[in-house]
Amino acid sequence: MTRRIQFRARPSTRDLRHELFHALGPPGRPPSHAIGFDRMLRGALEEPRVLVCDEAQWLSKLCFEYPRHLWDGTASDLTIVFTGGNGCFEMLQSEPMLESRVHARQEVGRTPLDEVLTVIPAFPPVWAEVDPDLIAVCDQEVAHGNFRAWAKITHHLTTGLRRHPLIDHGAGLLEQGS
């Protein structure tokens, strides 16, 4: 099961604790003291999980250390993925205890058009029947090989199709927006 956690810019460790509590859904109310809260979160993280911290460049050094603190105290196969823009990797490197646990760094660049034309129709079903030329135009004009941009386009497309269900396969909706 996947739960999305969103933080405001520069969240505190208290914010992280509460967002994790609500995402993991343990019974009861959030503990009032940090030690009890951490113990409860470690228990909730004992089954194998992947914790994705998106926009990690917004985390303070203390907040970068907090998931590592949970990881060190968890008896499971917890995997933590930090994703982010400018400054994310530099922040990881500045924290030796965290950086020493980084198993892989992956920089994701633009996806070439031939891959876009293969992946986009196969990934979100809404694109399965759309003309490849229209997908290429969307990539050239808006997405530029960026999957975050494709996610936004797909979200807008599916929202538009819910509002206008008579438009077939999204092509008509995309052409209307041009």
PDB file of all heavy atoms in Angstrom, residues 110 113 116 133-145 150 153:
ATOM      1  N   ARG A 110      16.433  13.784 -18.720  1.00  0.00           N
ATOM      2  CA  ARG A 110      15.317  13.755 -19.665  1.00  0.00           C
ATOM      3  C   ARG A 110      15.248  12.404 -20.365  1.00  0.00           C
ATOM      4  O   ARG A 110      16.277  11.825 -20.703  1.00  0.00           O
ATOM      5  CB  ARG A 110      15.460  14.855 -20.700  1.00  0.00           C
ATOM      6  CG  ARG A 110      15.302  16.213 -20.089  1.00  0.00           C
ATOM      7  CD  ARG A 110      15.445  17.293 -21.123  1.00  0.00           C
ATOM      8  NE  ARG A 110      15.356  18.574 -20.459  1.00  0.00           N
ATOM      9  CZ  ARG A 110      14.776  19.628 -20.960  1.00  0.00           C
ATOM     10  NH1 ARG A 110      14.259  19.591 -22.168  1.00  0.00           N
ATOM     11  NH2 ARG A 110      14.725  20.746 -20.291  1.00  0.00           N
ATOM     12  N   LEU A 113      12.757  10.743 -26.683  1.00  0.00           N
ATOM     13  CA  LEU A 113      11.434  10.598 -27.278  1.00  0.00           C
ATOM     14  C   LEU A 113      11.094   9.141 -27.589  1.00  0.00           C
ATOM     15  O   LEU A 113       9.959   8.716 -27.351  1.00  0.00           O
ATOM     16  CB  LEU A 113      11.311  11.452 -28.547  1.00  0.00           C
ATOM     17  CG  LEU A 113       9.958  11.400 -29.235  1.00  0.00           C
ATOM     18  CD1 LEU A 113       8.839  11.855 -28.297  1.00  0.00           C
ATOM     19  CD2 LEU A 113       9.967  12.214 -30.509  1.00  0.00           C
ATOM     20  N   VAL A 116       9.885   7.697 -24.434  1.00  0.00           N
ATOM     21  CA  VAL A 116       8.588   8.281 -24.096  1.00  0.00           C
ATOM     22  C   VAL A 116       7.490   7.585 -24.887  1.00  0.00           C
ATOM     23  O   VAL A 116       6.441   7.211 -24.336  1.00  0.00           O
ATOM     24  CB  VAL A 116       8.573   9.813 -24.357  1.00  0.00           C
ATOM     25  CG1 VAL A 116       7.161  10.374 -24.302  1.00  0.00           C
ATOM     26  CG2 VAL A 116       9.468  10.535 -23.365  1.00  0.00           C
ATOM     27  N   ASP A 133       1.946  10.346 -32.593  1.00  0.00           N
ATOM     28  CA  ASP A 133       2.312  11.703 -33.015  1.00  0.00           C
ATOM     29  C   ASP A 133       1.818  12.748 -32.014  1.00  0.00           C
ATOM     30  O   ASP A 133       2.498  13.741 -31.756  1.00  0.00           O
ATOM     31  CB  ASP A 133       1.755  12.017 -34.407  1.00  0.00           C
ATOM     32  CG  ASP A 133       2.457  11.222 -35.504  1.00  0.00           C
ATOM     33  OD1 ASP A 133       3.604  10.766 -35.266  1.00  0.00           O
ATOM     34  OD2 ASP A 133       1.857  11.049 -36.579  1.00  0.00           O
ATOM     35  N   LEU A 134       0.650  12.523 -31.434  1.00  0.00           N
ATOM     36  CA  LEU A 134       0.118  13.441 -30.434  1.00  0.00           C
ATOM     37  C   LEU A 134       0.932  13.362 -29.139  1.00  0.00           C
ATOM     38  O   LEU A 134       1.212  14.379 -28.510  1.00  0.00           O
ATOM     39  CB  LEU A 134      -1.358  13.139 -30.165  1.00  0.00           C
ATOM     40  CG  LEU A 134      -2.096  14.117 -29.272  1.00  0.00           C
ATOM     41  CD1 LEU A 134      -1.985  15.547 -29.776  1.00  0.00           C
ATOM     42  CD2 LEU A 134      -3.564  13.714 -29.156  1.00  0.00           C
ATOM     43  N   ILE A 135       1.351  12.160 -28.774  1.00  0.00           N
ATOM     44  CA  ILE A 135       2.219  11.995 -27.606  1.00  0.00           C
ATOM     45  C   ILE A 135       3.538  12.729 -27.848  1.00  0.00           C
ATOM     46  O   ILE A 135       4.046  13.420 -26.962  1.00  0.00           O
ATOM     47  CB  ILE A 135       2.453  10.501 -27.287  1.00  0.00           C
ATOM     48  CG1 ILE A 135       1.133   9.865 -26.815  1.00  0.00           C
ATOM     49  CG2 ILE A 135       3.548  10.324 -26.236  1.00  0.00           C
ATOM     50  CD1 ILE A 135       1.193   8.371 -26.627  1.00  0.00           C
ATOM     51  N   ALA A 136       4.077  12.606 -29.045  1.00  0.00           N
ATOM     52  CA  ALA A 136       5.335  13.290 -29.378  1.00  0.00           C
ATOM     53  C   ALA A 136       5.169  14.806 -29.288  1.00  0.00           C
ATOM     54  O   ALA A 136       6.053  15.504 -28.771  1.00  0.00           O
ATOM     55  CB  ALA A 136       5.807  12.885 -30.773  1.00  0.00           C
ATOM     56  N   VAL A 137       4.035  15.327 -29.750  1.00  0.00           N
ATOM     57  CA  VAL A 137       3.782  16.772 -29.663  1.00  0.00           C
ATOM     58  C   VAL A 137       3.692  17.195 -28.197  1.00  0.00           C
ATOM     59  O   VAL A 137       4.267  18.217 -27.805  1.00  0.00           O
ATOM     60  CB  VAL A 137       2.488  17.160 -30.435  1.00  0.00           C
ATOM     61  CG1 VAL A 137       2.060  18.582 -30.109  1.00  0.00           C
ATOM     62  CG2 VAL A 137       2.707  17.000 -31.927  1.00  0.00           C
ATOM     63  N   CYS A 138       2.989  16.419 -27.381  1.00  0.00           N
ATOM     64  CA  CYS A 138       2.891  16.727 -25.943  1.00  0.00           C
ATOM     65  C   CYS A 138       4.276  16.745 -25.300  1.00  0.00           C
ATOM     66  O   CYS A 138       4.575  17.612 -24.478  1.00  0.00           O
ATOM     67  CB  CYS A 138       2.018  15.703 -25.227  1.00  0.00           C
ATOM     68  SG  CYS A 138       0.275  15.886 -25.543  1.00  0.00           S
ATOM     69  N   ASP A 139       5.098  15.792 -25.681  1.00  0.00           N
ATOM     70  CA  ASP A 139       6.437  15.750 -25.102  1.00  0.00           C
ATOM     71  C   ASP A 139       7.265  16.948 -25.563  1.00  0.00           C
ATOM     72  O   ASP A 139       7.940  17.586 -24.755  1.00  0.00           O
ATOM     73  CB  ASP A 139       7.141  14.441 -25.467  1.00  0.00           C
ATOM     74  CG  ASP A 139       8.394  14.246 -24.644  1.00  0.00           C
ATOM     75  OD1 ASP A 139       8.270  14.148 -23.407  1.00  0.00           O
ATOM     76  OD2 ASP A 139       9.489  14.230 -25.224  1.00  0.00           O
ATOM     77  N   GLN A 140       7.190  17.264 -26.837  1.00  0.00           N
ATOM     78  CA  GLN A 140       7.975  18.376 -27.386  1.00  0.00           C
ATOM     79  C   GLN A 140       7.514  19.717 -26.819  1.00  0.00           C
ATOM     80  O   GLN A 140       8.332  20.557 -26.468  1.00  0.00           O
ATOM     81  CB  GLN A 140       7.864  18.391 -28.902  1.00  0.00           C
ATOM     82  CG  GLN A 140       8.622  19.532 -29.557  1.00  0.00           C
ATOM     83  CD  GLN A 140       8.430  19.536 -31.070  1.00  0.00           C
ATOM     84  OE1 GLN A 140       7.894  18.616 -31.660  1.00  0.00           O
ATOM     85  NE2 GLN A 140       8.883  20.602 -31.694  1.00  0.00           N
ATOM     86  N   GLU A 141       6.204  19.910 -26.706  1.00  0.00           N
ATOM     87  CA  GLU A 141       5.661  21.207 -26.298  1.00  0.00           C
ATOM     88  C   GLU A 141       5.613  21.407 -24.792  1.00  0.00           C
ATOM     89  O   GLU A 141       5.727  22.529 -24.320  1.00  0.00           O
ATOM     90  CB  GLU A 141       4.251  21.395 -26.882  1.00  0.00           C
ATOM     91  CG  GLU A 141       4.204  21.416 -28.386  1.00  0.00           C
ATOM     92  CD  GLU A 141       4.909  22.629 -28.977  1.00  0.00           C
ATOM     93  OE1 GLU A 141       4.815  23.716 -28.387  1.00  0.00           O
ATOM     94  OE2 GLU A 141       5.554  22.472 -30.030  1.00  0.00           O
ATOM     95  N   VAL A 142       5.409  20.313 -24.022  1.00  0.00           N
ATOM     96  CA  VAL A 142       5.152  20.480 -22.595  1.00  0.00           C
ATOM     97  C   VAL A 142       6.073  19.645 -21.705  1.00  0.00           C
ATOM     98  O   VAL A 142       6.708  20.172 -20.797  1.00  0.00           O
ATOM     99  CB  VAL A 142       3.678  20.130 -22.262  1.00  0.00           C
ATOM    100  CG1 VAL A 142       3.386  20.344 -20.783  1.00  0.00           C
ATOM    101  CG2 VAL A 142       2.722  20.946 -23.120  1.00  0.00           C
ATOM    102  N   ALA A 143       6.145  18.352 -21.936  1.00  0.00           N
ATOM    103  CA  ALA A 143       6.821  17.457 -20.987  1.00  0.00           C
ATOM    104  C   ALA A 143       8.339  17.454 -21.114  1.00  0.00           C
ATOM    105  O   ALA A 143       9.043  17.298 -20.115  1.00  0.00           O
ATOM    106  CB  ALA A 143       6.294  16.035 -21.137  1.00  0.00           C
ATOM    107  N   HIS A 144       8.861  17.574 -22.310  1.00  0.00           N
ATOM    108  CA  HIS A 144      10.316  17.616 -22.540  1.00  0.00           C
ATOM    109  C   HIS A 144      11.042  16.429 -21.912  1.00  0.00           C
ATOM    110  O   HIS A 144      12.122  16.577 -21.357  1.00  0.00           O
ATOM    111  CB  HIS A 144      10.903  18.924 -22.015  1.00  0.00           C
ATOM    112  CG  HIS A 144      10.168  20.136 -22.482  1.00  0.00           C
ATOM    113  ND1 HIS A 144      10.191  20.573 -23.787  1.00  0.00           N
ATOM    114  CD2 HIS A 144       9.356  20.992 -21.807  1.00  0.00           C
ATOM    115  CE1 HIS A 144       9.436  21.660 -23.900  1.00  0.00           C
ATOM    116  NE2 HIS A 144       8.911  21.932 -22.720  1.00  0.00           N
ATOM    117  N   GLY A 145      10.411  15.232 -21.979  1.00  0.00           N
ATOM    118  CA  GLY A 145      11.061  14.037 -21.454  1.00  0.00           C
ATOM    119  C   GLY A 145      11.094  13.947 -19.946  1.00  0.00           C
ATOM    120  O   GLY A 145      11.810  13.121 -19.385  1.00  0.00           O
ATOM    121  N   TRP A 150       4.939  14.602 -17.263  1.00  0.00           N
ATOM    122  CA  TRP A 150       3.980  13.639 -17.797  1.00  0.00           C
ATOM    123  C   TRP A 150       2.929  13.284 -16.752  1.00  0.00           C
ATOM    124  O   TRP A 150       1.755  13.084 -17.085  1.00  0.00           O
ATOM    125  CB  TRP A 150       4.687  12.385 -18.311  1.00  0.00           C
ATOM    126  CG  TRP A 150       5.110  12.551 -19.732  1.00  0.00           C
ATOM    127  CD1 TRP A 150       6.377  12.748 -20.201  1.00  0.00           C
ATOM    128  CD2 TRP A 150       4.254  12.594 -20.869  1.00  0.00           C
ATOM    129  NE1 TRP A 150       6.361  12.908 -21.555  1.00  0.00           N
ATOM    130  CE2 TRP A 150       5.066  12.812 -21.995  1.00  0.00           C
ATOM    131  CE3 TRP A 150       2.889  12.467 -21.056  1.00  0.00           C
ATOM    132  CZ2 TRP A 150       4.548  12.904 -23.282  1.00  0.00           C
ATOM    133  CZ3 TRP A 150       2.370  12.559 -22.336  1.00  0.00           C
ATOM    134  CH2 TRP A 150       3.193  12.769 -23.427  1.00  0.00           C
ATOM    135  N   ILE A 153       0.464  16.157 -16.801  1.00  0.00           N
ATOM    136  CA  ILE A 153      -0.362  16.097 -18.012  1.00  0.00           C
ATOM    137  C   ILE A 153      -1.408  14.992 -17.864  1.00  0.00           C
ATOM    138  O   ILE A 153      -2.595  15.188 -18.174  1.00  0.00           O
ATOM    139  CB  ILE A 153       0.504  15.859 -19.269  1.00  0.00           C
ATOM    140  CG1 ILE A 153       1.426  17.048 -19.524  1.00  0.00           C
ATOM    141  CG2 ILE A 153      -0.371  15.585 -20.489  1.00  0.00           C
ATOM    142  CD1 ILE A 153       2.531  16.740 -20.531  1.00  0.00           C
TER     143      ILE A 153
END
